Amino acid sequence: MNALEVHGVGFAYGARQALCELEFATAVGRFTALLGPNGAGKSTLIALLTRLYDLRQGDIRVLGHSLAREPRQALARLGVVFQQSTLDLDLTVEQNLRYHAALHGLSRRTAAQRIDRELARQDLGERRHARVRELNGGHRRRVEIARALLHDPALLLLDEASTGLDPASRAALGQHVRALTDEGMSVLWTTHLLDEIRPTDEVLVLDRGRLVAQGSAARLSGESSLSDAFTRLTRPETVA
Amino acid sequence: MNNRYWNGLAGIVGREWLRFVQQRSRLLSALVRPLLWLLVFAAGFRAALGIAIIEPYDTYITYETYIVPGLACMILLFNGMQGSLSMVYDREMGSMRVLLTSPLPRAFLLAGKLLATALVSLLQVYAFLSIAWLYGVEPPPLGLVAALPALLLVALMLGALGLLLSNGIRQLENFAGVMNFVIFPMFFLSSALYPLWKMREASEWLYWLCAVNPFSHAVELVRFALYQRLDPLALAVCLGLTLAFGALAVLTFNPQHAAIRRSA
């Protein structure tokens, strides 16, 4: 079984086609990077994967559960970190986590145990009672990851999660998320920053709503750099 | 209700309560508007607008006594619209996504959000009624209890209307215009400030506009309940419109519509 299967997915904003006949799958327990320039359709795909947008063309399966036919089972296995922060700034870290736990149907006791576990894992124990407004960008991202993991998802989606972070926080975030795959978590990481990709990572390249390449970063790069390969795939007209 | 749903509902209501507690200015600003009407406007117009004996009152009443139910509903009207405004804001800023990506049915999530907003509004209404009591507007104590379900129903109806309206809003800025075109006409073209028979003396067509305004029925439902009476027509209208607005709001709620309209 794959962590994520996308079959023939398309989406249009009125007359503008944002995604065309997407077809791919990601393996369980792998870190998969979804690369694409701005406007490639990454955020639209995330909106479809999280059921924020209704799927009108094609099918999406999360751990075998169709998002169209079994949305609750699919969403229960999905953890999401959106590009734009979705934390409530006026609430504390713990209150934000409790809210998410409740929305996923966790009892108070289970929620308390999971919150302790995730805060420890994210090294946020001392920030537990801090208002989110008081946290820096890196800490807020870690709170969002803690929140996304509270309900024990099998697939973690991160949409440009490193945007706005300083280089040290970006590196720490990437390292932290990769470590989750050691525990069996599947990760889909969308970005347009190529320095976040390692040669062993599985890479999907999206351009103007189409999947233009899939494979390991090393294979896609070939003899050149990943940056050159990315330019060749997404802006072939600029390559001599 | 199974535990999953119950925990979800408790979480939505709990969050609304926490936000309310941590934004104390919300209570204050919710009370300022009706208190200005009660303490300044009503006091000034008391002589001109004394009220004859009408149902559900057993005797002549002061103008302050007459407008208190309307002002209580005014709090619910503003909160219902502001609750929807916060949904537009949440939709724009992204925190609505946390709600919508949870594995609970969308209709349940929206109903839970409406209920949470309504419960917080009720606290503000009872704070207002307490101040009105101290000012001398004293409905029967049991009437204050009897009014609770009526106030809850009205809060849900106005919240559902607000949600329905917000579904047609492209972005946050447009909502201010809708508020001016909805809140003020609903409030002034109702029985909140003057009995309908007085309106009829002034203008027949204004009277009919007021008579069909759902807000008039909301005010009368609360007014009768405060005096332990039931207005069956008002109850039927409020119940029916709550279900209709709620169903339409759920059917038309779709975050992708706003994105599609924006990019079109």
Side-chain angles (χ1 to χ4, degrees), chain A residues 122-140:
Chain A
Q122 306 293 333
D123 198 20
L124 283 167
E126 290 180 5
R127 310 277 177 173
R128 183 183 199 111
H129 300 297
R131 284 199 192 195
V132 171
R133 193 180 293 284
E134 298 161 5
L135 303 181
N136 63 34
H139 281 131
R140 288 184 192 185

Side-chain angles (χ1 to χ4, degrees), chain B residues 35 38 46 68-69 97-98 113 120-121 150 166 179 187 192 217:
Chain B
L35 285 176
L38 179 66
R46 177 191 291 179
V68 158
R97 294 174 172 195
V98 178
K113 181 94 171 130
V120 168
S121 298
S166 75
M179 287 180 79
F187 182 66
H217 295 284

Side-chain angles (χ1 to χ4, degrees), chain B residues 197-217:
Chain B
W197 64 264
K198 279 213 171 196
M199 190 62 97
R200 195 168 212 165
E201 283 181 351
S203 161
E204 185 72 18
W205 65 269
L206 268 182
Y207 163 79
W208 280 109
L209 277 178
C210 295
V212 298
N213 180 357
F215 193 68
S216 290
H217 295 284

Side-chain angles (χ1 to χ4, degrees), chain B residues 86-104:
Chain B
S86 83
M87 284 204 203
V88 175
Y89 178 79
D90 280 356
R91 196 176 68 195
E92 295 280 317
M93 302 307 289
S95 52
M96 192 74 178
R97 294 174 172 195
V98 178
L99 192 71
L100 296 176
T101 53
S102 67
L104 289 169

Side-chain angles (χ1 to χ4, degrees), chain A residues 11-14 16 50-56 71-72 75-76 80 82-88 90-92 95 99-100 102-108 131 147, chain B residues 3-5 7-12 15 18-19 22-23 92-106 109 113 254-257 259-260 263-264:
Chain A
F11 189 84
Y13 293 98
R16 185 170 70 82
T50 53
R51 212 184 54 136
L52 278 177
Y53 292 179
D54 292 333
L55 194 59
R56 291 174 180 166
R72 279 170 236 167
L75 288 173
V80 190
F82 288 105
Q83 181 178 0
Q84 203 171 23
S85 175
T86 54
L87 294 169
D88 196 323
D90 294 320
L91 302 189
T92 66
Q95 287 166 344
Y99 176 54
H100 178 87
L103 290 177
H104 279 264
L106 303 184
S107 68
R108 287 182 71 84
R131 284 199 192 195
R147 184 179 64 179
Chain B
N3 282 347
R4 177 170 286 273
Y5 285 80
N7 290 339
L9 182 63
I12 295 168
R15 175 184 181 256
L18 282 172
R19 284 178 61 81
Q22 290 179 2
Q23 298 172 348
E92 295 280 317
M93 302 307 289
S95 52
M96 192 74 178
R97 294 174 172 195
V98 178
L99 192 71
L100 296 176
T101 53
S102 67
L104 289 169
R106 192 165 280 180
L109 293 168
K113 181 94 171 130
N254 198 334
Q256 76 196 42
H257 287 165
I260 290 169
S263 65

Side-chain angles (χ1 to χ4, degrees), chain A residues 103-158:
Chain A
L103 290 177
H104 279 264
L106 303 184
S107 68
R108 287 182 71 84
R109 179 184 290 186
T110 307
Q113 290 167 352
R114 301 265 182 96
I115 289 169
D116 288 345
R117 183 189 72 188
E118 291 308 323
L119 287 179
R121 182 149 70 166
Q122 306 293 333
D123 198 20
L124 283 167
E126 290 180 5
R127 310 277 177 173
R128 183 183 199 111
H129 300 297
R131 284 199 192 195
V132 171
R133 193 180 293 284
E134 298 161 5
L135 303 181
N136 63 34
H139 281 131
R140 288 184 192 185
R141 274 298 182 217
R142 277 154 63 187
V143 175
E144 292 196 286
I145 293 172
R147 184 179 64 179
L149 297 174
L150 267 186
H151 57 283
D152 284 343
L155 171 62
L156 182 62
L157 302 182
L158 299 106

